[in-house]
Amino acid sequence: MQIAESIDVKIGKLREADNGIADALKALTVAVAAETVPVSEDQRNELLEQIEMLSEQAAMSGEQRKKGLIKPAIDSLASVCTGAGGLAAVWQTWGPAIMKFFGI
């Protein structure tokens, strides 16, 4: 899965900043990549793309971030994860940290 590897690279760079967002995005990536029911392969790929975009935005300084992209991605992740079995627990654990980091 190439997108998960791309996210891992970005998360590695975030870990250097030691701001906690790296752990949240990594946990969400692992959970989404592993979830097969009730998430379809297309949904899983879309979620991973959203996580990848969030990891890119997290690496930027606050003023460079595009809230117009961040908020819809987080809203979409929250919507799918809260209704998708095992992802609900992961989102409940890490979602607040992700939203706090991005000021949402």
Side-chain angles (χ1 to χ4, degrees), residues 15-85:
R15 276 207 166 84
E16 293 170 10
D18 193 32
N19 53 28
I21 190 68
D23 292 335
L25 293 173
K26 178 64 177 178
L28 191 55
T29 300
V30 169
V32 168
E35 187 68 35
T36 57
V37 178
V39 179
S40 70
E41 186 173 343
D42 287 341
Q43 279 181 310
R44 187 172 42 258
N45 288 335
E46 287 174 14
L47 293 173
L48 289 171
E49 287 172 0
Q50 291 168 341
I51 297 168
E52 181 179 35
M53 185 275 297
L54 289 175
S55 66
E56 290 168 353
Q57 293 294 311
M60 296 177 181
S61 65
E63 49 288 335
Q64 292 177 317
R65 292 185 190 132
K66 298 177 181 172
K67 289 213 178 210
L69 296 176
I70 294 169
K71 185 171 181 349
I74 289 175
D75 289 347
S76 176
L77 282 165
S79 176
V80 173
C81 289
T82 56

